[in-house]
Amino acid sequence: MRIVIKKDPKEVGQWVAEYVIRKIKKANPTKEKPFVLGLPTGSSPLTAYQELIRRHKSGDISFKNVVTFNMDEYVGLPEDHPESYHYFMYENLFNHIDIPQENIHILNGNAKDLEKECKEYEKRIEKFGGVDLFLGGIGPDGHIAFNEPGSSLSSRTRLKTLSYDTILANSRFFDNDISKVPTTALTVGVGTVMDAREVLIIITGYGKARALRQVVEGGISHMWTVSMIQMHQKAIMVCDDPATMELQVETVRYFKDIEEIAAKRIPKRDE
């Protein structure tokens, strides 16, 4: 597992965007063989999305041959609701780049048959040959997507009942009215994320420091679901300095030293 430590969320976003762009260009995707990118919502990827938009508008990158699969979506929330993840993705990324509409995949939280929707989502990912690079964020409790503490580490895309803590935390987006927050969501599973050829997790802010410590220095546990990333053959965690505040000093120094050595030897390292 590779740990990249940057100064602040802006530097994290720039690094992530540059990495994504290099991966897409290296793959040289075509319409017949697109680059498949998994995407999260939330505050963690926002600076990366802003940088991807800027680089696209400057002519550095095209998304015409990129296919995306989002991690999750609330159940029962209209797609045009300001807090739906459909709305988030179009507002913060898709409306500003040249990705074809048919290349965008987001779980339908209003499907008549939610179980069928989840199964078909897995099949659509499989149809495209799997995800090349899955971006993700983590919650303060170490969850990834809506795979909250206690979720199976081999879980697949499914309907998930949200915990009270998650509902309460998300109420800030719903006028601080807990009754307005959806209590269920559709989410990819931990196993779905682990199937990707590469996983990149974004962690920023001191509020995520405990989770980062558990993931990097702790063992694998279904109570910290993103800890399963330790078992991935090609995983990167990109974090800012505040997120490392609960890591041991030796751990931080070790990973910073590795990046400094690699930067001198391989200026455009992508492994």
Side-chain angles (χ1 to χ4, degrees):
M1 184 168 63
R2 180 183 177 188
I3 311 295
V4 177
I5 303 170
K6 295 297 178 180
K7 182 178 70 174
D8 53 34
K10 182 178 180 181
E11 286 193 4
V12 168
Q14 290 173 338
W15 193 97
V16 171
E18 173 62 24
Y19 191 83
V20 171
I21 290 170
R22 289 208 315 270
K23 283 292 177 177
I24 294 173
K25 288 184 175 180
K26 184 177 180 180
N28 193 24
T30 63
K31 185 175 181 179
E32 292 72 28
K33 188 174 176 53
F35 185 87
V36 184
L37 182 64
L39 297 174
T41 55
S43 59
S44 296
L46 278 177
T47 55
Y49 290 165
Q50 291 164 2
E51 182 66 7
L52 287 173
I53 292 168
R54 187 189 71 80
R55 296 285 296 274
H56 165 68
K57 290 185 175 179
S58 67
D60 288 345
I61 187 68
S62 170
F63 295 88
K64 286 184 178 179
N65 293 318
V66 173
V67 167
T68 64
F69 284 91
N70 263 79
M71 282 190 157
D72 42 26
E73 177 59 287
Y74 286 118
V75 169
L77 209 60
E79 292 183 2
D80 60 356
H81 189 287
E83 297 305 328
S84 80
Y85 293 159
H86 278 77
Y87 185 95
F88 177 97
M89 289 307 305
Y90 280 90
E91 187 74 8
N92 292 290
L93 182 62
F94 297 147
N95 284 340
H96 311 284
I97 58 177
D98 62 345
I99 186 169
Q101 175 64 35
E102 61 270 20
N103 287 12
I104 298 170
H105 300 87
I106 307 176
L107 283 156
N108 180 8
N110 295 290
K112 290 182 179 180
D113 188 334
L114 295 175
E115 184 176 343
K116 181 180 178 182
E117 170 67 12
C118 293
K119 289 181 178 178
E120 290 184 347
Y121 203 68
E122 290 275 345
K123 289 179 180 178
R124 288 198 291 273
I125 293 175
E126 185 178 348
K127 176 185 173 183
F128 282 100
V131 176
D132 292 302
L133 173 61
F134 221 135
L135 303 185
I138 64 174
D141 59 2
H143 73 260
I144 183 169
F146 274 122
N147 296 287
E148 298 179 317
S151 296
S152 167
L153 297 182
S154 61
S155 55
R156 312 303 304 185
T157 303
R158 67 204 186 286
L159 173 65
K160 188 76 172 59
T161 300
L162 306 182
S163 70
Y164 176 78
D165 286 346
T166 295
I167 295 169
L168 181 62
N170 288 352
S171 66
R172 69 187 188 276
F173 303 119
F174 293 84
D175 303 321
N176 290 310
D177 185 346
I178 196 170
S179 67
K180 295 181 180 179
V181 186
T183 58
T184 54
L186 302 184
T187 180
V188 296
V190 179
T192 312
V193 176
M194 289 293 291
D195 278 351
R197 281 177 276 281
E198 188 169 1
V199 180
L200 190 159
I201 306 297
I202 305 166
I203 313 102
T204 56
Y206 178 71
K208 308 290 179 69
R210 185 182 176 209
L212 181 62
R213 183 191 71 200
Q214 291 289 337
V215 172
V216 175
E217 297 176 344
I220 296 170
S221 170
H222 66 287
M223 297 307 292
W224 299 85
T225 54
V226 77
S227 65
M228 188 63 177
I229 296 301
Q230 294 178 28
M231 297 297 293
H232 200 282
Q233 292 186 353
K234 197 167 187 182
I236 305 175
M237 306 196 81
V238 189
C239 52
D240 63 1
D241 281 326
T244 69
M245 294 302 289
E246 293 198 19
L247 292 176
Q248 296 183 47
V249 173
E250 292 85 353
T251 300
V252 175
R253 183 180 297 125
Y254 171 78
F255 285 110
K256 283 189 173 182
D257 284 349
I258 286 178
E259 290 303 314
E260 286 183 12
I261 293 170
K264 293 176 183 177
R265 187 169 59 88
I266 313 172
K268 290 293 185 180
R269 180 186 178 189
D270 63 0
E271 296 182 351

